[in-house]
Amino acid sequence: MKQIYLDYNATTPVRPEVLEAMLPFYKEQFGNPSSVHWAGRAVAGAIEKAREQVAALINASPAEIVFVSCGSEGDNMAIKGTLAALKGKGNHIITTAVEHPAVLETCQYLEKNGYDVTYLPVDCDGRLNLDDLEAAITDQTVLISVMWANNETCNIYRIEEIGAIAKKHKVRFHTDAVQAIGKLPIDVQKANVDLLVLSGHKIGAPKGVGAIYVRRGTRMVPLLHGGHQERNRRAGTQNVAGIVGLGVACEVAAAEREEVYQRMRTLRDKLEDGLLAQIPEIKLNGTPDRDQRLPNTLNVSFAYIEGESLLLNMDMYGIAASSGSACSSGSLEPSHVMGAMCVEITLAHSSTRFSLGPETTEEEIDKVLEILPATVQRLRDMSPLYNCGKSSSEECLTCETVRRI
């Protein structure tokens, strides 16, 4: 059975050229980059080369790049470190209700420690009203944190406009760009971003490495203490092989982004058109404007069925996707993103995210379009909601909701 991987937003395979670049740093070039002798100098130089490669992808200076272990650490470091540096300047943070948990849970932690947080709402398509954002700014606002692209709906937010608002009001601006890196053109200078976080395993580098862009002159207190690494901004021996891999992945992403964008966009559109045409009572989660979603991602809900059941059935055919619902992690609550968009709870539980990558083929999309309609119908035939037998005149809120899709 051929396996079809459509969960690239969760993680990506390490690219062959990335792995090849990393291997020497597990054996021949094994030194500690903090050592002053020949073994340390060799790997220290490799780290600085990677810093240049990461910086080039986002139009930054190498000195503005700080290597970390992952996107979650980067978000924590950017937010907590900035607020610690600005202690006494204000206690108000503005973010959105649809951020990644690395941002939301950090803000919730800060609320418990004296900070005031505004969680901006989104509309039913997941779009953010920038008038609401600007209206929320007060003389106590010290940080705005808005993701570049949502990890579930993959709506792209108007980062340049948000950056201009933040600059106008002299407020620091942080963005989690983990899902956007490698898929969209990103220029931190043009976007007026002060802090940007990216993660290696989303772009063909290994798990366990990421980076923060910290604009020159932006003060940030480190989370980790005990060493001088990363220009005293992040203590701890660097993950040399991972950092080298991240650098190469960024270089490849810069070279291939336009070609990969167009190919993934074409395949995404084919999948979207095919599902909408073949499966009735299906709901698109996210903005209907395809240009305002990441080119590789489609999030849809299938009325009357559970997303987890659909994932398990697709897995039987070798198809890997992900659920927009948190039920797969043991929670009965639907995704907070679907909740913020006011998606009806049964539809929120059926939300399914298909995310494509550079290796995705048209034949794989054709196979999904061949298998999925029958799979959805089979699950619906077993669903008590689908077969409840109520007429439209009887009171069945769930049925009435899905009839309106």
Side-chain angles (χ1 to χ4, degrees):
M1 177 176 61
K2 177 177 172 54
Q3 293 178 318
I4 300 174
Y5 186 74
L6 296 179
D7 202 13
Y8 282 86
N9 285 6
T11 196
T12 62
V14 175
R15 297 186 62 116
E17 56 266 65
V18 169
L19 180 59
E20 183 179 356
M22 292 171 59
L23 289 177
F25 297 91
Y26 288 113
K27 192 175 180 181
E28 296 92 354
Q29 299 185 51
F30 58 85
N32 187 320
S34 296
S35 299
V36 297
H37 50 62
W38 58 267
R41 290 196 301 273
V43 295
I47 288 176
E48 294 314 307
K49 179 181 178 181
R51 210 182 300 278
E52 294 172 1
Q53 291 167 317
V54 175
L57 180 62
I58 60 173
N59 192 26
S61 164
E64 296 172 313
I65 302 299
V66 181
F67 290 116
V68 293
S69 67
C70 61
S72 292
E73 182 193 342
D75 286 329
N76 272 264
M77 183 174 171
I79 296 170
K80 294 176 183 174
T82 297
L83 294 176
L86 297 176
K87 191 173 182 179
K89 302 288 186 180
N91 72 335
H92 182 224
I93 308 160
I94 299 173
T95 188
T96 79
V98 294
E99 296 296 309
H100 188 277
V103 171
L104 286 181
E105 293 185 20
T106 298
C107 289
Q108 290 160 9
Y109 164 83
L110 290 165
E111 277 188 292
K112 295 175 182 177
N113 287 272
Y115 284 88
D116 180 24
V117 182
T118 296
Y119 299 94
L120 297 171
V122 293
D123 67 14
C124 62
D125 291 324
R127 294 172 295 202
L128 185 66
N129 186 327
L130 298 195
D131 290 337
D132 291 345
L133 187 152
E134 188 157 20
I137 297 173
T138 74
D139 59 0
Q140 290 296 302
T141 306
V142 289
L143 182 68
I144 295 170
S145 179
V146 178
M147 62 196 341
W148 203 296
N150 187 266
N151 54 301
E152 290 189 32
T153 64
C154 284
N155 281 2
I156 300 166
Y157 293 102
R158 292 146 59 190
I159 295 300
E160 289 186 22
E161 294 176 60
I162 296 171
I165 291 170
K167 185 176 181 180
K168 171 184 172 183
H169 293 275
K170 299 180 180 179
V171 175
R172 294 280 172 81
F173 178 32
H174 158 255
T175 185
D176 178 330
V178 166
Q179 291 294 350
I181 287 289
K183 300 165 189 167
L184 300 175
I186 289 182
D187 185 330
V188 292
Q189 308 305 326
K190 189 176 179 182
N192 289 306
V193 171
D194 297 303
L195 301 130
L196 177 146
V197 173
L198 60 93
S199 182
H201 74 103
K202 306 294 187 180
I203 57 170
K207 301 170 186 66
V209 65
I212 313 177
Y213 158 77
V214 184
R215 181 180 291 277
R216 191 185 304 275
T218 300
R219 293 175 54 229
M220 185 176 68
V221 175
L223 288 185
L224 300 180
H225 300 86
H228 62 275
Q229 292 88 353
E230 296 301 298
R231 296 175 173 84
N232 296 308
R233 294 178 291 190
R234 201 261 189 183
T237 304
Q238 290 106 322
N239 173 9
V240 179
I243 288 170
V244 168
L246 175 59
V248 173
C250 285
E251 189 171 74
V252 172
E256 297 183 353
R257 188 189 57 77
E258 279 295 332
E259 176 188 348
V260 171
Y261 178 102
Q262 293 301 333
R263 194 164 64 80
M264 290 194 301
R265 167 69 186 262
T266 299
L267 294 176
R268 189 276 309 269
D269 290 353
K270 180 174 185 175
L271 177 63
E272 183 173 335
D273 290 340
L275 293 181
L276 293 174
Q278 295 184 58
I279 303 176
E281 296 180 295
I282 182 174
K283 179 184 184 301
L284 173 68
N285 296 315
T287 174
D289 184 348
R290 291 176 174 177
D291 291 334
Q292 295 306 311
R293 281 185 273 134
L294 290 180
N296 75 316
T297 307
L298 173 65
N299 188 309
V300 289
S301 290
F302 303 93
Y304 306 110
I305 65 176
E306 282 282 345
E308 189 171 17
S309 297
L310 181 59
L311 292 181
L312 292 171
N313 275 264
M314 285 195 296
D315 185 51
M316 292 171 62
Y317 291 98
I319 302 170
S322 67
S323 175
S325 166
C327 60
S328 59
S329 63
S331 171
L332 296 177
E333 294 300 318
S335 151
H336 71 280
V337 175
M338 297 298 112
M341 293 165 59
C342 297
V343 176
E344 194 273 332
I345 191 166
T346 59
L347 291 172
H349 272 302
S350 75
S351 65
T352 305
R353 185 186 70 183
F354 301 91
S355 49
L356 289 59
E359 295 86 0
T360 304
T361 66
E362 187 170 9
E363 290 73 23
E364 290 176 330
I365 299 302
D366 288 338
K367 190 65 176 178
V368 173
L369 291 173
E370 175 189 329
I371 291 170
L372 201 55
T375 302
V376 169
Q377 189 58 52
R378 185 172 66 254
L379 291 171
R380 283 177 172 172
D381 288 341
M382 295 185 290
S383 169
L385 293 175
Y386 189 66
N387 297 293
C388 68
K390 291 183 179 291
S391 69
S392 59
S393 63
E394 293 180 279
E395 188 173 338
C396 179
L397 295 179
T398 299
C399 292
E400 286 304 308
T401 297
V402 296
R403 285 191 190 102
R404 289 195 293 269
I405 296 175

